[in-house]
Amino acid sequence: MRKTNLVFLALLPFTLGCPETEVNQRPIQVDPLDQVKAACIEVNPQRINFDDVDITNEETQSSKRVAISNTCEGQLTIEKIQLTGQDINVFKFSNLEKVLLGESEVTSFEVTFTPPVAGEYKARLEISSNDENNPTVGVRLDGAALSPVIEVTPESYDYGAPYIGCEAEMSVKIRNVGNTDLVVSGVEVFSAADQEYSLDLDPLTNGSLPFVVAPYDKSRGEPVVDIWLDYL
């Protein structure tokens, strides 16, 4: 018997690898409802001036309000409010009415300026939120306090030991180093031996009491009120 060997050839198709960019894939559809909507913060005003607060009166503070609104569809979250700058101790702010704002919602808080002495004060109010494009918004704070400030020189004086019957003179200078008029209503000498001192208010030069002393101008070196205290 003749043996017959049968050979079966498996023909495999020759394929080329295709780059991924050529693979026909269906694009992923994102439901717009699944997207996080943005929140947008708006602060008004962005600068507050507390002008000419007269601290000589009983009302020694001034208050103004800051409004925060959300101008986009997403929910706005107010995360933090803080004061920065050199004069943060003279400014204070109240609690927010609410910290979560929907579209077009508004909240507000009060900023108070309480200066201790005359002068100009500056600080910055920083408001942080979940607004991705504008996460921190600043409000500039400027304050000016009015008050007279008396300066008397010298604060002490030694007459030495003059001979009996010889007067020793001493000039007392009064200046106003504040920023509004100073009113000097009276001058008195307190001593265990009042008869040994003579007070001269120089009415010919200064006029009569009360003295009204304008703020001191360093460039002109005036006004200065000179009175005399002599040791007899």
Side-chain angles (χ1 to χ4, degrees):
M1 177 182 293
R2 187 174 60 184
K3 295 182 179 179
T4 302
N5 294 326
L6 298 179
V7 178
F8 296 94
L9 297 178
L11 299 179
L12 300 176
F14 182 73
T15 59
L16 294 176
C18 298
E20 293 181 359
T21 54
E22 295 181 2
V23 176
N24 185 18
Q25 295 180 345
R26 177 181 297 179
I28 299 174
Q29 299 294 329
V30 178
D31 189 343
L33 296 178
D34 294 335
Q35 296 180 350
V36 177
K37 295 181 180 179
C40 304
I41 189 171
E42 184 175 281
V43 177
N44 186 46
Q46 295 184 355
R47 180 177 181 178
I48 299 178
N49 288 317
F50 297 93
D51 293 329
D52 300 340
V53 177
D54 188 352
I55 62 175
T56 60
N57 298 326
E58 293 182 0
E59 296 293 332
T60 59
Q61 67 178 26
S62 177
S63 298
K64 296 187 178 181
R65 296 197 73 83
V66 175
I68 303 174
S69 58
N70 179 15
T71 60
C72 292
E73 296 181 359
Q75 180 170 270
L76 179 69
T77 303
I78 310 302
E79 299 172 346
K80 185 178 182 181
I81 300 178
Q82 65 178 352
L83 285 165
T84 62
Q86 59 184 9
D87 299 315
I88 61 175
N89 293 330
V90 300
F91 297 98
K92 293 182 180 180
F93 57 89
S94 63
N95 293 330
L96 279 171
E97 295 173 351
K98 50 186 175 181
V99 296
L100 300 178
L101 301 178
E103 182 180 7
S104 300
E105 287 189 328
V106 180
T107 187
S108 65
F109 62 97
E110 194 171 66
V111 181
T112 303
F113 171 53
T114 310
V117 295
E120 296 184 353
Y121 300 87
K122 298 181 183 296
R124 177 180 168 87
L125 195 66
E126 294 186 347
I127 304 169
S128 302
S129 72
N130 63 333
D131 183 335
E132 294 183 356
N133 295 323
N134 200 13
T136 302
V137 179
V139 178
R140 177 175 170 177
L141 305 177
D142 295 299
L146 297 180
S147 175
V149 179
I150 190 170
E151 179 184 83
V152 179
T153 56
E155 293 184 358
S156 62
Y157 185 77
D158 186 354
Y159 288 95
Y163 288 104
I164 293 176
C166 299
E167 296 183 3
E169 297 181 342
M170 189 264 288
S171 172
V172 179
K173 298 184 181 297
I174 300 174
R175 298 181 181 87
N176 175 15
V177 294
N179 52 15
T180 190
D181 286 349
L182 169 73
V183 178
V184 179
S185 56
V187 181
E188 297 181 65
V189 178
F190 294 92
S191 170
D194 293 344
Q195 69 276 8
E196 295 183 6
Y197 292 92
S198 172
L199 177 64
D200 181 6
L201 299 182
D202 193 3
L204 293 178
T205 303
N206 300 324
S208 58
L209 288 172
F211 303 146
V212 179
V213 188
Y216 181 70
D217 186 336
K218 290 183 179 180
S219 63
R220 295 186 296 119
E222 58 182 30
V224 179
V225 174
D226 279 298
I227 60 177
W228 301 87
L229 184 62
D230 299 338
Y231 179 46
L232 307 180

